[in-house]
Amino acid sequence: MGQSMAKADSHIKHDVLEELKWDTRVNETDVGVQVKGGTVTLTGTVDSWAARVAAQNAAHRVAGVLDVANDMRVKLPGSFERNDTDIAKAVRVALEWDTLVPHERIRTTVSNGVVTLEGTLDYWSQYEDAVRAVRNLAGVTAIKNLMAVEPPLPRPSADAVRAAIESALERHAEHAAKRVKVAVTDGKVVLSGDVPSWAERHAIEGAVRGTLGVRKVENHLLIA
C-alpha cells in the first residue's frame, strides 16, 4: 500500500507541476511542490499575493489533490514596491469601483503591505468579493479578512437556509448534490461529503455563498 500511495503521490506532484507551468499567472520555477497522501504543500517565494493564490488554486484543480498547504512567501521585486499610503489609496479605489462590494461598510488598514479588512456585511459573497477586489493590487503581500457577515433582519431560519442551499445545489451541481451534506447552525454552513472534481467543489461553494442567511462557510468536501 505504501508503494502504491508513493506512486500516486509522484503522479500528483507531476500533474501539479504541469498545472503550474500551464497557468501563466505563476512562474512554476518559483514554487516548490511536495505531496504526501494526496496533500500538496507549496513552498517558495512569489512576487505577489495574487500569484500565491493562483498557485494554490492551480494545485486544487489537479485530480487526486485532497488538501493544499500554502507555505509560499511573498517578496515584492523593486518595481512592485509601494508604500502603505499608496497601497491604502489603491485598496479604497478598488473597493469603490467594485459594484459587488459595499465599500462604505469596509474599513481597511495597511501595514508593511498587509491589508486588513474590517466591517459588517450582509452576504458571504460580499466577504469574498472584497478580498478578490484587492488581492491583485501591486504591493499587497497578504490579506487579513476580519469582516463579519450579519444578514439583515428578519433572518431566515436554519431550515430555510438549508432548503435554499439544497435548491441551489440542484441547479448548480446536479450530479454531486445528492452526495453533499449541508449542516446549518446560526448561519454557519458546513459542507461535507465527496464530489468528483475540484470544479464541482467550486460550483457547490458558489451556490452557497450567495444564499441569504449564510454568515460563514466551511467546505469540507473531498474530491473522490
Side-chain angles (χ1 to χ4, degrees):
M1 180 175 178
Q3 185 178 359
S4 174
M5 179 62 74
K7 185 177 181 180
D9 285 346
S10 66
H11 287 172
I12 291 172
K13 179 177 180 177
H14 172 270
D15 289 347
V16 169
L17 289 171
E18 288 298 310
E19 188 70 16
L20 291 171
K21 186 183 299 183
W22 176 83
D23 196 321
T24 58
R25 298 169 298 175
V26 182
N27 184 348
E28 80 278 4
T29 60
D30 294 337
V31 184
V33 178
Q34 297 176 343
V35 185
K36 184 175 182 180
T39 296
V40 176
T41 300
L42 302 176
T43 57
T45 302
V46 290
D47 59 12
S48 70
W49 185 256
R52 185 181 188 273
V53 173
Q56 174 180 305
N57 290 340
H60 270 302
R61 289 195 298 267
V62 172
V65 172
L66 301 178
D67 301 289
V68 175
N70 193 342
D71 290 336
M72 291 185 295
R73 297 187 303 111
V74 177
K75 182 174 177 58
L76 303 175
S79 60
F80 282 93
E81 288 185 356
R82 301 286 190 277
N83 63 44
D84 289 339
T85 299
D86 290 338
I87 296 172
K89 290 178 180 178
V91 167
R92 180 51 54 186
V93 169
L95 293 174
E96 290 177 349
W97 277 70
D98 194 313
T99 58
L100 300 178
V101 177
H103 62 88
E104 69 283 352
R105 300 172 64 178
I106 300 175
R107 303 184 306 276
T108 72
T109 306
V110 183
S111 178
N112 295 322
V114 178
V115 179
T116 301
L117 303 174
E118 298 176 278
T120 303
L121 308 175
D122 292 334
Y123 296 93
W124 181 257
S125 57
Q126 296 171 334
Y127 178 95
E128 295 189 338
D129 286 334
V131 173
R132 177 186 48 77
V134 303
R135 73 184 181 194
N136 295 340
L137 297 176
V140 174
T141 59
I143 298 174
K144 293 183 178 179
N145 193 344
L146 303 182
M147 296 183 294
V149 178
E150 297 292 344
L153 299 174
R155 294 173 186 163
S157 66
D159 288 341
V161 173
R162 185 184 301 104
I165 291 173
E166 290 173 348
S167 178
L169 290 182
E170 291 178 359
R171 296 192 303 271
H172 291 230
E174 180 179 359
H175 299 295
K178 296 178 181 179
R179 302 207 302 268
V180 175
K181 295 180 180 179
V182 180
V184 182
T185 305
D186 192 27
K188 175 183 175 181
V189 178
V190 178
L191 301 173
S192 59
D194 59 82
V195 291
S197 68
W198 173 253
E200 198 85 354
R201 187 180 191 273
H202 187 69
I204 290 171
E205 188 169 308
V208 175
R209 64 198 295 267
T211 302
L212 180 64
V214 174
R215 301 176 58 198
K216 187 176 182 181
V217 179
E218 288 189 7
N219 192 341
H220 298 309
L221 294 172
L222 300 177
I223 310 300

